[in-house]
Amino acid sequence: HILAIDYRGFGLSTGSPTEEGVIIDGVAAVNWAMQVAQVPPERIVIVGQSLGTAVTSAVVEHFTEKGMDFAGVVLVAGFTSIPNLLTGYSILGYIPILSPFGTHPALQRLLASYVVDEWPSVTRIANIVRQSKKLRLFIIHSKDDPEIPWSHSEGLFAAAANATTDGGMDTDLFQKIKA
């Protein structure tokens, strides 16, 4: 069984989505799969793509905090957080509309102060790794993704790898594990 979280904003809702509300929706979907469809968590793979990776990270973190592990977690074209994504974002990979923010810490802080929903996936992934008993995490990203730089998935991988040891790991060890 695969539960795919794909949040593109389609639907008839007249409200405004919030980070908290979308996470509640994702948790409700997983609860439905486990309680109504009677699928045990060890037979569920949760998949998220793009913004769905942030929802997936939050939903899996919610259940991991309750001691539940899933058969797998798959993140496709994920990002570390919305503020980090915005400073490197380019329209279709060519027009870097917010790139000036990326080189100036003061501008980055200014931009981040306007972001309402931050979607801190990098923090959530680290929490999941620390709390999970048997995590099967798959991070997939195309190096030529025109929307989300693949370096964000490297950041997610680094957070997951660093969460496996007390105090993190040095750069050489990280590169060895990554290879």
Side-chain angles (χ1 to χ4, degrees), residues 61-104:
E61 180 185 43
H62 169 84
F63 286 99
T64 303
E65 288 172 349
K66 296 176 182 283
M68 276 187 219
D69 283 308
F70 296 99
V73 177
V74 182
L75 306 177
V76 181
F79 54 89
T80 56
S81 71
I82 291 292
N84 289 341
L85 179 61
L86 289 177
T87 58
Y89 183 76
S90 296
I91 298 174
L92 300 173
Y94 297 108
I95 306 167
I97 57 174
L98 298 174
S99 64
F101 288 92
T103 57
H104 301 288

Side-chain angles (χ1 to χ4, degrees), residues 2-178:
I2 295 178
L3 179 61
I5 297 178
D6 183 7
Y7 226 90
R8 297 179 190 194
F10 298 124
L12 301 175
S13 173
T14 58
S16 298
T18 64
E19 183 173 355
E20 180 183 1
V22 174
I23 292 167
I24 289 169
D25 291 347
V27 168
V30 174
N31 278 329
W32 180 90
M34 291 187 303
Q35 295 168 5
V36 177
Q38 297 293 307
V39 180
E42 60 273 5
R43 295 198 35 90
I44 296 174
V45 174
I46 301 183
V47 180
Q49 189 266 331
S50 192
L51 179 57
T53 64
V55 180
T56 294
S57 299
V59 169
V60 171
E61 180 185 43
H62 169 84
F63 286 99
T64 303
E65 288 172 349
K66 296 176 182 283
M68 276 187 219
D69 283 308
F70 296 99
V73 177
V74 182
L75 306 177
V76 181
F79 54 89
T80 56
S81 71
I82 291 292
N84 289 341
L85 179 61
L86 289 177
T87 58
Y89 183 76
S90 296
I91 298 174
L92 300 173
Y94 297 108
I95 306 167
I97 57 174
L98 298 174
S99 64
F101 288 92
T103 57
H104 301 288
L107 290 176
Q108 285 179 337
R109 286 189 298 276
L110 176 65
L111 177 64
S113 72
Y114 288 98
V115 174
V116 176
D117 295 326
E118 294 189 5
W119 293 104
S121 296
V122 71
T123 304
R124 289 180 170 139
I125 288 298
N127 289 340
I128 292 165
V129 169
R130 281 187 211 99
Q131 296 173 14
S132 178
K133 294 179 182 86
K134 55 180 179 178
L135 178 65
R136 291 179 188 93
L137 174 65
F138 301 89
I139 300 173
I140 303 167
H141 207 127
S142 170
K143 282 196 172 186
D144 64 354
D145 186 327
E147 300 293 328
I148 301 172
W150 65 273
S151 58
H152 280 266
S153 284
E154 276 202 328
L156 295 172
F157 176 80
N162 278 318
T164 63
T165 63
D166 291 332
M169 60 180 73
D170 66 24
T171 306
D172 291 336
L173 179 58
F174 173 74
Q175 291 300 331
K176 183 178 178 181
I177 290 173
K178 181 180 157 196

